[in-house]
Amino acid sequence: MDEPEPETPFASVSAQTTKFGRIFQSYLDKSTPFISYRWIGTTGLFLLFALRIFLAQGWYIVAYSLGIYLLNLFLAFISPKFDPSLEQDEGMEEGASSLPTKQDQEFRPFVRRLPEFKFWYAATRAVAIAFLCSWFSVFDLPVFWPVLVMYWLILVALTMRRQIQHMIKYRYVPFTVGKQRYSKN
C-alpha cells in the first residue's frame, strides 16, 4: 500500500545536501560560545585576503565591495532593533514616548538590529567569498584604487558621524564597555 518512492538522483542529492547542512549547522552551534576565537579566525582570513590583494596588486573592486558590505553590517550591528526616532515619531502621534525620560521609568536594554553571531557569520562568509573571488581574473577590473580608498573613507566618516549623532540624540550605547556590571553575589 505505502510503497517507498523510487530512489531518484535528485532525492539522493537532496538527502546529502540536508545531511551536510545539519553537520555544518552543528559546528556553527558548537562555535557560538567562543566569541574571541571566532573573531580571531575571521580577522586571520581578512588579513590573508588583504595580503592577497596587496601582493597581487589587483581585485580592488572586490576589496571595495567587501569594505562597503562590512560597513553596512557594522552599522546594523551598532543600530538598535527598534529605532527610537521612528518610535518617537509614532509616540508623538499617540502622545506617548517609548524611551524612558525620567529616572523612575522602566529600563529597556539595548537590542541590536543585527546580533553578534549573525554579524560574525555574515562577515566571515563575505570575507571568504571575496577571497575566493580574488583568484578569478574576471573580477579583476582595472580601476584607480586611490579613488576607491578615498571614497570609502569619506563614506565611513559620513555614515559614522550620522550614526554617532543618532546615538547621542537618543542616548543609547551599543557597547558593553564602560557599563556597570553587577556581581552574582
Side-chain angles (χ1 to χ4, degrees), residues 2-49:
D2 287 334
E3 296 178 22
E5 294 184 22
E7 187 70 26
T8 63
F10 179 74
S12 63
V13 167
S14 177
Q16 287 298 323
T17 304
T18 303
K19 177 184 171 186
F20 289 132
R22 286 183 184 151
I23 291 171
F24 180 69
Q25 186 63 45
S26 72
Y27 283 120
L28 279 179
D29 293 342
K30 289 176 185 176
S31 73
T32 301
F34 304 105
I35 297 171
S36 58
Y37 293 123
R38 287 189 282 121
W39 282 105
I40 288 171
T42 301
T43 304
L45 185 62
F46 180 78
L47 291 175
L48 195 64
F49 169 73

Side-chain angles (χ1 to χ4, degrees), residues 50-179:
L51 183 67
R52 165 79 178 137
I53 297 300
F54 178 73
L55 293 177
Q57 294 294 310
W59 290 275
Y60 301 119
I61 287 290
V62 174
Y64 176 73
S65 302
L66 177 64
I68 295 292
Y69 184 69
L70 292 178
L71 177 62
N72 186 25
L73 287 177
F74 181 69
L75 287 174
F77 177 69
I78 64 172
S79 298
K81 186 173 187 176
F82 306 106
D83 191 2
S85 62
L86 296 176
E87 290 179 7
Q88 187 178 27
D89 292 342
E90 292 171 2
M92 287 182 164
E93 293 172 3
E94 300 168 5
S97 177
S98 63
L99 288 176
T101 56
K102 295 186 174 93
Q103 191 70 15
D104 60 342
Q105 286 183 328
E106 179 183 356
F107 168 73
R108 290 181 46 192
F110 182 80
V111 180
R112 299 180 186 282
R113 182 181 302 163
L114 181 67
E116 183 273 333
F117 185 81
K118 289 183 180 181
F119 176 41
W120 167 79
Y121 183 66
T124 305
R125 188 175 57 210
V127 172
I129 290 170
F131 184 70
L132 183 68
C133 288
S134 73
W135 292 97
F136 296 100
S137 62
V138 71
F139 297 110
D140 188 15
L141 302 175
V143 293
F144 188 58
W145 66 267
V147 173
L148 290 180
V149 171
M150 287 305 298
Y151 183 65
W152 187 81
L153 290 174
I154 290 170
L155 191 64
V156 167
L158 291 176
T159 54
M160 290 309 296
R161 185 177 130 231
R162 183 179 54 85
Q163 187 68 30
I164 290 170
Q165 286 175 342
H166 190 269
M167 289 164 42
I168 291 170
K169 182 178 180 181
Y170 294 103
R171 292 177 283 165
Y172 64 90
V173 179
F175 305 108
T176 57
V177 176
K179 290 185 179 178

